[in-house]
Amino acid sequence: MTENSTLGTDWALSWIRECARTVGENRSELVRLDREIGDGDHGENLDRGFTAVLQKLDASEPATPADVFKLVATTLISTVGGAAGPLFGTAFLKGSAAISGVDELDADALVAFLAAARDGVVARGKAEVGDKTMIDAWTPAVEAARSEQESGGDAHAVLSAAADAAEEGAASTEPLVARKGRASYLGERAVGHRDPGAQSSALLFRAAAETAGS
Amino acid sequence: MTVGLVIVSHSEKIADGVVELASQMAADVAIIAAGGTDDGRIGTSFEKVQKAIARADSGAGTVIMCDLGSAVLTAETALDFLDDGVRERTWIADAPIVEGSVAAAVAAQTGASLAAVLVAASSAGRSDALDQDGDDASIPSPSPGEPRSDGSVDAEQSVTEIDLINREGLHARPAAAFVKLASGFEASVTVNGVDAKSLLRIMSLGLVRGDTLTLRGSGREAEEAITALRDLVASGFGEE
């Protein structure tokens, strides 16, 4: 066990603040990706959602990581407007339920959190790996996190493995034809473009790993 | 107390327009628009959908009509947050938003159950819903006079012919009035071979002033149904 073997509410808060920062910083890149194969509002919607999340967090004092994530979930669901609201919102909602009442998240709890979040997105969006959606980032990330945890990695190592896999997963959407979402109307024309939801998911995973420190 | 409808569209104008169109044929049904985001942009709003469900639900249930994919995601998420009792009677229809909403509204106006309204909405979306040969898979109505599989023949059947005299023909409001009346009877009724209880099928016949309707009824109340429908057509639907 290392010093960073568990992550608490402070980490949850700094992760979400980092999410808001990185989404803001990458807003125009996400808009650009979404203009290529979607309706062009992904960066703007997600930025608005996380800005609202920051305001909510400033006005409340969540006691546990699950409390933080539940607040994130309900705020994203009610403020984002596009598909990303229900999808990311459901991820945080189902993830928070899996770690309800836990003060300090170890590698095991983080894997449970990520897997439940991913399952929530799958249940909501009914997408599979290869459909050119955010699931192409989420599922490899969850698998990498689990494999890292099973080989004895600590919380930070688990999140780093997840972030690496999510970034690879997001890149893997480029050659795909979309089978879900607005891009599915484009057929072959979606080939060569990265899925914006997979890209924003990868940003959130990277933010999680970076704020977990080492 | 009728089944209510919620119209979820990315566009506020589309949702409002569908409400306007469907309400024309279903004056007593709560049809609530939930279009656009909270600040009036293109998108869907969780809160608008939640509030619309609360307004549409009178206890008889609510059918939610959606346009593009993420409207369904928003509606499903709203369902997750409903109380169990309300969630059980709130359903999302798999149907095109315009045709499905009109069909669902007319069904609700006739006092149809939640399940029947849902069927009306989804059968409006099938490519065969508008063919004119009369074999609608969703509403089995055996041809009058034909032997059933057990060899029996409908004892009660009734046939009559009548000319359309009203200005609009069997379209829009008159068609809705016709379907509403037909739906009030247990009998299976056809008009020129199509189900008299299916608004879209009736409208697809394109019957205009001067055309002749052949009304056939079978089963219980066949005679009464045919008489009432003939009288309605003869009355000119209150038009000139």
Side-chain angles (χ1 to χ4, degrees), chain A residues 2-187:
Chain A
T2 69
E3 279 176 52
N4 292 298
S5 56
T6 65
L7 298 168
T9 307
D10 285 348
W11 166 73
L13 287 167
S14 42
W15 174 29
I16 298 306
R17 289 185 193 287
E18 175 61 12
C19 287
R21 194 200 62 75
T22 190
V23 164
E25 184 177 282
N26 289 279
R27 173 189 158 126
S28 51
E29 171 67 3
L30 294 173
V31 166
R32 188 188 65 75
L33 289 175
D34 199 27
R35 280 217 181 101
E36 307 280 359
I37 59 170
D39 47 12
D41 62 3
H42 186 59
E44 199 183 318
N45 282 343
L46 216 51
D47 190 24
R48 181 180 339 95
F50 273 103
T51 302
V53 165
L54 290 188
Q55 288 167 354
K56 285 276 176 69
L57 286 178
D58 286 342
S60 61
E61 289 182 11
T64 63
D67 293 340
V68 174
F69 300 143
K70 201 169 173 194
L71 190 68
V72 173
T74 52
T75 310
L76 290 181
I77 286 169
S78 56
T79 57
V80 170
L87 291 169
F88 280 114
T90 302
F92 279 104
L93 196 66
K94 301 295 180 189
S96 74
I99 53 167
S100 177
V102 180
D103 291 325
E104 290 287 327
L105 306 177
D106 58 9
D108 203 21
L110 283 169
V111 171
F113 167 76
L114 294 177
R118 188 272 315 268
D119 292 349
V121 178
V122 169
R124 178 68 69 224
K126 292 156 192 93
E128 296 169 14
V129 168
D131 285 350
K132 198 178 182 101
T133 71
M134 57 195 281
I135 287 301
D136 289 316
W138 275 85
T139 289
V142 170
E143 284 168 2
R146 181 171 285 133
S147 145
E148 181 64 32
Q149 179 256 331
E150 283 168 357
S151 56
D154 67 1
H156 176 245
V158 161
L159 292 174
S160 291
D164 291 345
E167 281 164 6
E168 279 174 43
S172 80
T173 63
E174 288 180 15
L176 298 175
V177 171
R179 288 198 291 259
K180 290 280 176 186
R182 202 69 71 87
S184 61
Y185 297 123
L186 294 175

Side-chain angles (χ1 to χ4, degrees), chain A residues 48 77 81 83 86 124 126 182, chain B residues 41 44 46 73 76-77 80:
Chain A
R48 181 180 339 95
I77 286 169
R124 178 68 69 224
K126 292 156 192 93
R182 202 69 71 87
Chain B
R41 291 170 301 108
T44 50
F46 173 76
L73 297 183
E76 285 179 347
T77 308
D80 279 355

